[in-house]
Amino acid sequence: MNRFVKWCVEFHPWRNFRQSRKPGLFAIIVTLSVLATVMLSFPLNAQIMGQRLSPALRLAQSPASELRGVWLTNIDSDVLFSSDRLKGSLQRLDQLNFNTIYPAVWNWGYTLYPSKVAARVIGRSLDPTPGLQGRDILKEMVNVGHQQGLTVIPWFEFGFMAPADSLLAKNRPQWLTSRSDGSRIVKEGTHNRVWLNPFRPEVQQFIQDLIIEIVRNYDIDGIQFDDHFGLPSILGYDAYTVALYKKEHRGKAPSRNPQDPEWVRWRANKITDFTKRVFKAIKATKKDCIVSVAPNPQRFSYDFFLADWQKWERMGIIEDLVLQIYRDNLNVFISELEYPEVQAAKKHIPVSVGILAGLKNKSIPMQQIETQVQKVRDRNFAGVSFFFYETLWNMSKENPQQRQSAFRKIFPTPTTYPNLLADWKP
């Protein structure tokens, strides 16, 4: 470019324009033609230059709209148990240019907001943890979150799952499903879990009533489900489900192999039917409420949780997908981003990526987080969300101030949530 400018100055055809009208005019046309060619090549040059930028500089290039989310939970976290702490945390997220929060509202067999539905079915309207009493944390998060410009999408975390010793499990044992040997306990880490039978009408009604109660009574922007909106594929052998399967298969019992393709497909389709029903109920209550799903990659989600989110996306009954890809191996992380069903979904709805920021006993280095964010951006996903709030900077081996400074570099300027119902385009 410097050479071109120097050439233009030296050539300077217009200074001889009065002396030689035609040659001067011709020279001007040639000059403008060359200049136009160079200018038109700028986008390509800028693209090439962008590819050569360092990762830190590339991270600083903020898109016009991008999901910048974080999950807030009551497990291994204190963020929800004090109004002042919650308010300060949401203010800090806004200062660091996050734009979306996913607060847990259904967890450990209880609601984290005062619920008439829960009171009727479970016997308690609210999780008994002392820090939640006398409060409505969902109302607090909606009010404070919106004041800070945050999109608030409650996370229906436990879905059909419940602790084995919960009031729900004890009061409604007929609602539980089982393995082929009749056992009900499913281990989740060190915890004993049981699962409500998603094929029983009364269970479906209970779950739908909880969801619609939230949608109707709170000024939320959306609601989110995950794999727990399905069912571990080892389950479904309770008497009610077996009888239903036989009724629809001319008396034939389901396979003893929980991974039998027909048996998996039948249960997954039933869950899809319920998901469609819930979607319609949400839209009938509040049409601009975004229905979001945060599952594992499709193969795991379908085979092990009977949650066929690929089909849900094709049917148009989810409007936002945040794919949980909690991987330390970068090559595995990238391969999960490039699956065909993920690329197909990107053409229809905002598809973002859930990144692990750490666990109680596992600190994730900031460098890994930065690299994964950049790999997501390189592939034009709609954004990222981090699991979970405490591990962003409070629960880490690295200095909290350094972690916050790194997130400020990742999100240097504010941007909007990629809303399918507003102005988002694939």
Side-chain angles (χ1 to χ4, degrees):
M1 187 62 186
N2 289 337
R3 292 178 180 175
F4 174 72
V5 172
K6 183 178 179 182
W7 176 80
C8 287
V9 172
E10 291 177 349
F11 183 75
H12 203 23
W14 47 89
R15 69 184 178 186
N16 298 319
F17 181 71
R18 292 180 182 175
Q19 298 176 8
S20 179
R21 196 176 187 92
K22 291 183 179 180
L25 181 61
F26 175 76
I28 290 173
I29 294 172
V30 171
T31 302
L32 292 176
S33 176
V34 174
L35 181 61
T37 301
V38 172
M39 294 301 292
L40 287 172
S41 72
F42 276 3
L44 178 59
N45 290 337
Q47 182 180 5
I48 294 172
M49 289 171 64
Q51 293 172 352
R52 295 172 182 168
L53 289 175
S54 68
L57 288 176
R58 289 161 66 198
L59 280 170
Q61 297 175 329
S62 295
S65 99
E66 179 180 58
L67 172 65
R68 297 169 178 180
V70 60
W71 283 281
L72 286 74
T73 179
N74 60 328
I75 301 176
D76 296 334
S77 176
D78 295 328
V79 66
L80 303 179
F81 299 140
S82 161
S83 295
D84 290 341
R85 187 183 298 119
L86 178 58
K87 182 177 181 180
S89 299
L90 299 188
Q91 289 173 339
R92 178 54 54 88
L93 288 172
D94 175 50
Q95 291 166 2
L96 296 176
N97 294 320
F98 284 76
N99 59 21
T100 306
I101 56 172
Y102 299 105
V105 290
W106 169 242
N107 215 334
W108 288 88
Y110 297 108
T111 56
L112 276 71
Y113 64 94
S115 168
K116 292 181 180 180
V117 174
R120 183 179 70 247
V121 173
I122 300 172
R124 291 198 71 123
S125 65
L126 181 67
D127 184 299
T129 304
L132 300 176
Q133 305 313 300
R135 299 171 57 203
D136 185 338
I137 65 165
L138 182 52
K139 186 176 181 180
E140 290 177 25
M141 281 186 282
V142 168
N143 291 341
V144 177
H146 285 170
Q147 288 171 7
Q148 300 301 319
L150 297 170
T151 297
V152 182
I153 301 179
W155 175 32
F156 204 75
E157 181 177 2
F158 262 45
F160 289 98
M161 185 174 70
D165 59 354
S166 63
L167 280 178
L168 177 58
K170 292 176 179 178
N171 293 345
R172 307 281 175 165
Q174 71 277 17
W175 283 12
L176 306 181
T177 186
S178 62
R179 294 183 181 84
S180 58
D181 64 4
S183 62
R184 293 175 171 176
I185 302 295
V186 177
K187 282 285 187 180
E188 189 187 51
T190 60
H191 301 291
N192 290 333
R193 308 296 196 206
V194 291
W195 285 75
L196 305 179
N197 185 349
F199 314 117
R200 291 186 75 108
E202 59 269 42
V203 171
Q204 292 184 351
Q205 193 62 52
F206 168 62
I207 294 295
Q208 180 173 316
D209 287 347
L210 285 177
I211 294 166
I212 298 305
E213 180 179 51
I214 296 171
V215 175
R216 178 180 292 118
N217 296 334
Y218 296 88
D219 185 25
I220 59 174
D221 301 296
I223 192 160
Q224 186 179 79
F225 313 115
D226 60 22
D227 293 312
H228 295 146
F229 214 63
L231 179 74
S233 56
I234 56 174
L235 302 177
Y237 288 95
D238 57 276
Y240 176 89
T241 305
V242 170
L244 182 62
Y245 184 89
K246 286 182 176 179
K247 181 180 178 181
E248 297 184 8
H249 290 80
R250 299 181 180 180
K252 179 184 177 182
S255 171
R256 301 284 289 183
N257 173 16
Q259 288 296 316
D260 175 78
E262 165 57 26
W263 177 222
V264 169
R265 187 182 309 111
W266 182 84
R267 288 174 293 166
N269 285 343
K270 292 291 185 186
I271 291 170
T272 293
D273 291 342
F274 177 64
T275 304
K276 181 179 178 180
R277 170 182 156 185
V278 169
F279 177 86
K280 289 183 175 181
I282 291 171
K283 292 303 178 179
T285 306
K286 185 179 181 181
K287 64 180 180 180
D288 61 348
C289 180
I290 288 287
V291 178
S292 175
V293 177
N296 276 280
Q298 169 69 14
R299 290 157 179 78
F300 184 90
S301 189
Y302 179 79
D303 290 342
F304 294 98
F305 280 100
L306 308 173
D308 192 358
W309 63 255
Q310 181 182 7
K311 187 172 185 178
W312 303 349
E313 188 277 320
R314 291 200 309 266
M315 292 172 64
I317 58 176
I318 58 174
E319 300 163 311
D320 178 73
L321 179 66
V322 187
L323 197 61
Q324 297 180 39
I325 306 183
Y326 301 156
R327 308 286 185 267
D328 292 331
N329 185 299
L330 185 59
N331 291 330
V332 174
F333 179 85
I334 292 173
S335 70
E336 300 279 14
L337 299 178
E338 296 176 347
Y339 280 137
E341 63 272 15
V342 177
Q343 297 301 314
K346 283 172 60 181
K347 298 177 181 178
H348 309 134
I349 61 175
V351 177
S352 304
V353 177
I355 292 176
L356 185 64
L359 297 171
K360 180 180 180 180
N361 299 314
K362 179 178 181 178
S363 179
I364 300 293
M366 199 66 215
Q367 184 178 7
Q368 175 175 313
I369 293 172
E370 292 173 340
T371 299
Q372 291 186 349
V373 169
Q374 190 55 55
K375 296 304 179 183
V376 170
R377 283 177 169 169
D378 287 344
R379 287 156 180 80
N380 297 315
F381 281 85
V384 293
S385 186
F386 299 100
F387 186 83
F388 57 104
Y389 175 79
E390 295 291 352
T391 58
L392 291 177
W393 45 76
N394 292 333
M395 196 182 290
S396 171
K397 293 180 180 179
E398 297 172 321
N399 181 281
Q401 286 72 33
Q402 292 176 339
R403 298 269 291 194
Q404 290 185 22
S405 177
F407 277 109
R408 189 173 288 108
K409 291 178 181 178
I410 294 175
F411 304 142
T413 57
T415 191
T416 59
Y417 166 78
N419 190 336
L420 180 69
L421 304 183
D423 55 357
W424 181 87
K425 295 292 185 295

